Amino acid sequence: MIDYKKQINKKVTISGFAEKVRNLQWVQFIVLRNEGKRIQVTIEKSEEKNREMTLIVDKLTNESTITVTGVIKENENVKLGGLELIPDSIKVTSISDKELPISITNKGASQIDTRMDNRFIDLRNDANFYIFKIQTEFIRAMRQYLYENDFTEIHTPKLIAAASESGSEVFEVDYFKNKAYLAQSPQFYKQMAIAAGYERVFEVAPCFRAENSNTNRHATEFTSFDLEFANINSYEDVMAVEEELLVAGLTAVKEKYGDLIKEIYGVDVVVPTIPFPRIKLQDLYKELSERYGYKVPSHDVGDMNAETEKLTSRFAMEKYGHEFIFVTDFSKTKRAFYHMRKDDVPQGYDLIWKGTEITTGAQREHRYDVLEKQASEKGLGEDIKFYKNFFKYGCPPHGGFGLGIDRLTMLLLNLPSLKETMFLFRGPNRITP
Ligand code: AMO
């Protein structure tokens, strides 16, 4: 992208949206927007050479697209960075309807659903536009960390024959007169990669959950940053990788976008210190009860609910001054059958950030006999035989985690919900555009 300040007195060609066209008596102004950057185009009507351009701008509507060639000049009277583009030519590449269905600048003027219906326009608002610039940097830095640590990228199927997480939350697909399902996670296949001899793998891909819940943090399709690696001693090794990964991501985001995030979203990006605090679920319950008088409802005992997560972050801030906290030692009845157990306690964790779970991770059960026992305890049988077979012919101890990147971005930028965060949200009542 052109740095306009470095192009003063030089000839440039800039394409973009005519964000605001102002046609005054002696002069015309266009605010030209390209990738979130703006420059004023100034056309003096009195100059003979501008005659043709003036006629073009006469008919130009806001949000039409244009390509402008001209020279960038310094002008301290111009509010937009003290620069203006004096054009030699303006080419109109598309004309926008005069009335837009939503306001770009005033988000509050339309209901969230109307904005979602018109997401392609909604995203032209800076606060929305930059979400994906920032997310790209976050993911880039995390990928970079994995490349540097010899992780292999895999792409696992999203059409599957058996539910990987739990039966009830799976979308069924008609598959040539048979049943198939949309993958809830790459869980089985990232473990298959370990059985195949890849020591470290990752995947960034969609997950589908038929959860009929209308919360700010649930989508029916989301993107998960999944990884799995072999030859670990315990889930502590998994947590250590996740800490480093998040530090890599947040360091890069702070460096590139820290000031912009502060300006647009009012958020200070904090690069966390390592190690993150850790707490066992039972100790956490005790702290929440003593500090905030909070008792976990009986149906959630052994697990976390939204309220517990919120208070857990409050506790982490108060006790450790830390935005992140790992919670361990969940009840086996609330955890997946593939988590390794030690003394009946699942060897896994949830990571909570700013009041919301962003990750589940664990050491996996790689011993065939034990795995089979745990699977049948949960009522899983024939349909996961193919998965159990992965552990029959040699498979090293391993573990991994799934990090929901939509939640990660929502929390990073302090956005109120996934509807505002995701490029296109999918929920029980939303499957368009
Ligand atoms: P889990 O089901 O906890 O674990 O999902 C991992 C992470 O994915 C995100 N997430 C969601 N984001 C948006 N909408 C949803 N409906 C949704 N559901 C989950 C969260 C969550 O922490 N296979 C395991 C991971 C593993 O052990 O490797 C799994 O899928 O950020």
Side-chain angles (χ1 to χ4, degrees):
M1 207 176 9
I2 305 178
D3 181 350
Y4 299 145
K5 281 221 160 72
K6 289 195 180 139
Q7 302 293 323
I8 292 168
N9 295 326
K10 288 192 187 144
K11 193 159 190 166
V12 294
T13 296
I14 306 172
S15 297
F17 292 81
E19 182 171 88
K20 195 162 188 202
V21 183
R22 279 196 303 150
N23 207 339
L24 308 181
Q25 192 175 3
W26 303 111
V27 65
Q28 293 168 321
F29 297 113
I30 305 167
V31 175
L32 178 57
R33 184 187 72 243
N34 169 294
E35 280 270 306
K37 279 176 60 173
R38 292 169 178 80
I39 188 158
Q40 174 178 298
V41 182
T42 309
I43 307 120
E44 295 287 350
K45 286 183 172 176
S46 58
E47 291 193 26
E48 187 53 35
K49 69 175 178 60
N50 289 347
R51 218 174 149 64
E52 203 180 314
M53 280 192 288
T54 306
L55 295 174
I56 290 174
V57 178
D58 276 344
K59 290 195 217 131
L60 196 62
T61 49
N62 289 346
E63 294 302 313
S64 294
T65 60
I66 53 177
T67 296
V68 184
T69 300
V71 178
I72 295 185
K73 294 277 178 198
E74 264 180 310
N75 179 349
E76 60 185 21
N77 297 323
V78 177
K79 282 196 200 122
L80 213 53
L83 298 178
E84 62 185 342
L85 175 58
I86 308 297
D88 300 329
S89 82
I90 297 177
K91 192 173 144 210
V92 178
T93 49
S94 73
I95 283 281
S96 165
D97 276 7
K98 224 175 184 159
E99 293 296 325
L100 297 178
I102 55 168
S103 160
I104 293 176
T105 44
N106 184 4
K107 280 173 67 166
S110 310
Q111 298 289 331
I112 176 78
D113 269 294
T114 314
R115 288 200 281 119
M116 288 163 79
D117 287 340
N118 295 283
R119 187 65 165 159
F120 65 102
I121 298 174
D122 190 40
L123 286 170
R124 295 182 194 180
N125 176 294
D126 277 355
N128 294 334
F129 183 82
Y130 276 105
I131 293 172
F132 303 100
K133 291 292 192 187
I134 296 162
Q135 189 177 72
T136 298
E137 181 61 11
F138 209 146
I139 304 295
R140 185 205 61 73
M142 293 204 295
R143 279 177 170 273
Q144 183 74 29
Y145 171 87
L146 297 182
Y147 299 145
E148 281 164 10
N149 285 280
D150 281 333
F151 278 76
T152 303
E153 183 163 16
I154 55 172
H155 303 282
T156 67
K158 303 306 155 204
L159 280 171
I160 57 170
S164 61
E165 298 302 329
S166 78
S168 57
E169 295 165 352
V170 64
F171 286 112
E172 208 175 287
V173 179
D174 180 12
Y175 197 71
F176 306 113
K177 301 207 170 74
N178 285 317
K179 272 186 201 164
Y181 305 99
L182 295 180
Q184 296 154 308
S185 81
Q187 186 63 40
F188 291 170
Y189 301 116
K190 57 180 185 166
Q191 290 189 258
M192 190 192 99
I194 301 296
Y198 294 96
E199 196 168 42
R200 295 150 172 250
V201 296
F202 77 101
E203 176 171 19
V204 186
C207 295
F208 302 88
R209 305 274 169 106
E211 281 168 313
N212 197 359
S213 46
N214 292 295
T215 73
N216 72 332
R217 63 190 36 209
H218 286 97
T220 48
E221 178 177 351
F222 64 93
T223 304
S224 183
F225 196 103
D226 262 271
L227 59 83
E228 200 71 22
F229 56 103
N231 301 318
I232 63 171
N233 291 313
S234 90
Y235 64 100
E236 274 291 340
D237 298 340
V238 181
M239 295 196 287
V241 165
E242 181 154 23
E243 288 172 339
E244 286 184 8
L245 188 78
L246 285 166
V247 165
L250 285 166
T251 302
V253 164
K254 190 176 176 72
E255 210 172 292
K256 186 159 184 187
Y257 289 113
D259 292 343
L260 183 132
I261 292 173
K262 179 78 185 161
E263 187 191 319
I264 297 186
Y265 307 94
V267 176
D268 284 310
V269 178
V270 176
V271 178
T273 51
I274 285 179
F276 300 177
R278 292 136 162 76
I279 189 164
K280 291 181 177 166
L281 190 65
Q282 289 307 322
D283 297 337
L284 177 68
Y285 285 169
K286 211 163 143 242
E287 291 281 2
L288 300 189
S289 161
E290 283 171 13
R291 285 169 186 258
Y292 317 120
Y294 179 72
K295 288 258 178 296
V296 181
S298 56
H299 57 272
D300 285 328
V301 168
D303 204 355
M304 314 251 305
N305 59 22
E307 185 62 17
T308 318
E309 288 171 19
K310 216 183 275 164
L311 291 173
T312 300
S313 284
R314 185 170 154 197
F315 160 72
M317 254 346 240
E318 278 174 21
K319 173 143 186 198
Y320 306 103
H322 211 285
E323 286 186 357
F324 291 87
I325 182 164
F326 286 117
V327 182
T328 66
D329 294 60
F330 287 79
S331 158
K332 67 174 181 181
T333 59
K334 307 280 187 186
R335 301 308 256 191
F337 74 96
Y338 53 77
H339 287 203
M340 182 179 268
R341 295 174 194 164
K342 200 165 157 188
D343 302 327
D344 244 12
V345 178
Q347 298 298 290
Y349 66 87
D350 274 2
L351 177 60
I352 313 294
W353 188 31
K354 300 185 183 180
T356 298
E357 175 210 312
I358 55 166
T359 296
T360 296
Q363 174 161 13
R364 320 302 185 184
E365 183 49 74
H366 66 286
R367 297 161 297 182
Y368 181 84
D369 296 348
V370 186
L371 184 66
E372 181 149 81
K373 195 170 140 269
Q374 290 185 183
S376 43
E377 246 176 47
K378 297 256 182 192
L380 299 162
E382 269 307 291
D383 56 344
I384 60 156
K385 194 168 167 218
F386 75 95
Y387 166 72
K388 289 185 289 190
N389 276 345
F390 299 159
F391 307 95
K392 252 186 161 171
Y393 308 97
C395 180
H398 62 281
F401 61 80
L403 172 63
I405 67 159
D406 311 288
R407 286 191 189 176
L408 192 71
T409 304
M410 174 178 84
L411 299 167
L412 171 72
L413 302 179
N414 201 15
L415 299 170
S417 86
L418 291 183
K419 290 182 179 177
E420 306 261 358
T421 311
M422 297 176 74
F423 184 69
L424 284 169
F425 174 79
R426 287 288 180 262
N429 303 317
R430 168 69 58 178
I431 196 156
T432 56

